[in-house]
Amino acid sequence: MSDPHAPHADHSKHYIKIWIALLVLLMVSLVPAIIAQQLHLNITGIVVVTAFAVAFIKAYLVIKHFMHLTIEKKYVGFLFLTMLAFMLVFVGGVSPDVMKHEGQRWTNDAAKKVVDEGMKAEKAGGHGEPEKH
Amino acid sequence: MSSSAFPRPIATTRSATGISTGKLAVWWLIASEIVIFGGVLGSYIMHRIGHPEWASQAEHTNTWLGAFNTIVLLSSSLSAVLAHNAAEMKDGKKAAKFLWFTILGAATFLVVKSFEWTHEINAGLTITSHTFWSFYYTAAGIHGLHVLVGGIIMAVIAVDAAKGKDLQRVEAVGLYWHFVDIVWIFLFPLLYISK
């Protein structure tokens, strides 16, 4: 593949090919969601995994071919990795409290109550009911 | 001090770090944006996993409008990179033309979003109705604000680019725009597909 930063070279065709690939990937992420919706199938796992796998591939294509980050000075990439590391520290530190509602020596009764009431409302067909605190 | 002493905005074109300073500033801006959007999206993901009952709220988002807006943003990213391509070839008029196409994409995105939000708010799905909707309006709202600001900055740059002035800015605003596109690439499955 030619260097997209070569001086005065026209790379329009290359960019259009990447755009077409991005649109095809969007369709790939939509198909399982549409099938699940139309046939009332409970394949949430497949739908979510496909959608996020496709999202990462799309993001990679945009970063590599539109932003040209892979041929930028390396410290820019390290700068972004540092920011992502900050995010991982944040999520790692907070997630046990937010994602779990009980542990060995603690329980979050308020959160458990909200989840239980929400699940009951969902089973009873109460979509869209406002949250009660 | 006469203006001839500083005929060009040196800070945007010099490259003490190996990258022109204007472009480096945009990379730093994007780095700060990673933390802003990462914080919101990370919080949403953690809450969503901890609250399976939110699925009943997510069912109300319109997947088709989300997909349409994804096509709009991916296409506007194409026109942004084509503008950069034209700027590299020193064709300011062509670069400006592609920037205006990108602005058209930004405007289309915001019109669709307004339509979508109006429909949802009229249905009682407001920012205070449920924590899911608090995240939805916050994440999509911050993103929409970035689309609006990007469109305005791009219009200023397009006017200059058409005169062949400061063409290096075309790449800089394009980088910002591609980042806005990437944020939406992740917002789409989070808010419109995970149901």
Side-chain angles (χ1 to χ4, degrees):
Chain A
M1 193 178 288
S2 60
D3 174 10
H5 268 189
H8 310 298
D10 185 2
H11 298 284
S12 306
K13 284 181 184 171
H14 170 70
Y15 295 133
I16 291 169
K17 279 180 192 168
I18 298 299
W19 174 68
I20 291 168
L22 289 166
L23 293 184
V24 170
L25 283 166
L26 171 65
M27 297 308 150
V28 170
S29 67
L30 274 174
V31 166
I34 293 165
I35 290 171
Q37 199 177 1
Q38 297 298 320
L39 302 178
H40 303 288
L41 295 176
N42 188 14
I43 51 168
T44 310
I46 295 169
V47 170
V48 171
V49 168
T50 308
F52 281 98
V54 166
F56 277 102
I57 297 168
K58 282 197 291 185
Y60 173 75
L61 288 177
V62 172
I63 288 167
K64 185 176 192 291
H65 296 281
F66 287 180
M67 298 175 87
H68 308 119
L69 185 61
T70 50
I71 55 167
E72 186 55 277
K73 293 280 179 190
K74 279 188 178 168
Y75 67 81
V76 178
F78 289 130
L79 174 66
F80 292 163
L81 287 175
T82 307
M83 297 301 158
L84 289 172
F86 284 148
M87 291 316 309
L88 284 178
V89 169
F90 163 66
V91 171
V94 176
S95 60
D97 277 347
V98 179
M99 289 163 58
K100 291 178 71 181
H101 304 314
E102 61 183 346
Q104 287 182 328
R105 296 178 184 175
W106 62 277
T107 177
N108 186 344
D109 293 332
K112 284 175 78 173
K113 191 181 167 195
V114 168
V115 173
D116 289 343
E117 284 177 357
M119 296 306 281
K120 275 179 198 165
E122 192 179 343
K123 278 178 188 169
H127 297 306
E129 287 297 316
E131 213 171 35
K132 290 181 178 63
H133 294 287
Chain B
M1 190 180 290
S2 72
S3 59
S4 60
F6 298 103
R8 292 185 54 77
I10 295 167
T12 60
T13 53
R14 70 181 177 191
S15 57
T17 55
I19 303 173
S20 65
T21 311
K23 190 177 165 188
L24 181 62
V26 176
W27 284 130
W28 270 104
L29 173 76
I30 291 172
S32 67
E33 299 277 9
I34 289 173
V35 184
I36 294 170
F37 281 105
V40 175
L41 299 189
S43 300
Y44 171 75
I45 291 167
M46 286 186 286
H47 277 86
R48 186 70 199 270
I49 292 170
H51 290 271
E53 81 278 12
W54 285 17
S56 62
Q57 299 294 323
E59 274 180 17
H60 296 287
T61 59
N62 191 322
T63 308
W64 294 110
L65 287 183
F68 177 78
N69 260 349
T70 308
I71 293 170
V72 168
L73 276 194
L74 291 176
S75 305
S76 69
S77 249
L78 171 69
S79 57
V81 79
L82 289 176
H84 172 210
N85 187 53
E88 287 278 315
M89 294 189 293
K90 309 291 179 206
D91 189 342
K93 282 196 188 323
K94 200 173 176 185
K97 188 183 81 178
F98 281 122
L99 282 181
W100 284 112
F101 273 121
T102 313
I103 294 164
L104 180 66
T108 307
F109 180 90
L110 291 173
V111 167
V112 171
K113 212 84 197 78
S114 315
F115 172 77
E116 199 183 343
W117 280 23
T118 304
H119 176 75
E120 283 157 356
I121 290 167
N122 284 339
L125 305 167
T126 64
I127 195 165
T128 55
S129 65
H130 191 279
T131 321
F132 170 82
W133 295 102
S134 303
F135 272 110
Y136 171 84
Y137 286 110
T138 304
I142 295 171
H143 179 265
L145 195 63
H146 280 74
V147 171
L148 179 66
V149 170
I152 293 167
I153 294 170
M154 227 175 285
V156 173
I157 292 173
V159 169
D160 281 349
K163 298 171 192 162
K165 197 175 152 193
D166 289 327
L167 289 180
Q168 81 282 355
R169 289 180 182 171
V170 176
E171 182 186 13
V173 77
L175 292 175
Y176 169 85
W177 194 255
H178 299 314
F179 175 76
V180 171
D181 184 23
I182 289 170
V183 171
W184 184 258
I185 282 173
F186 286 103
L187 276 177
F188 176 60
L190 281 172
L191 301 176
Y192 294 88
I193 291 191
S194 304
K195 297 191 173 189

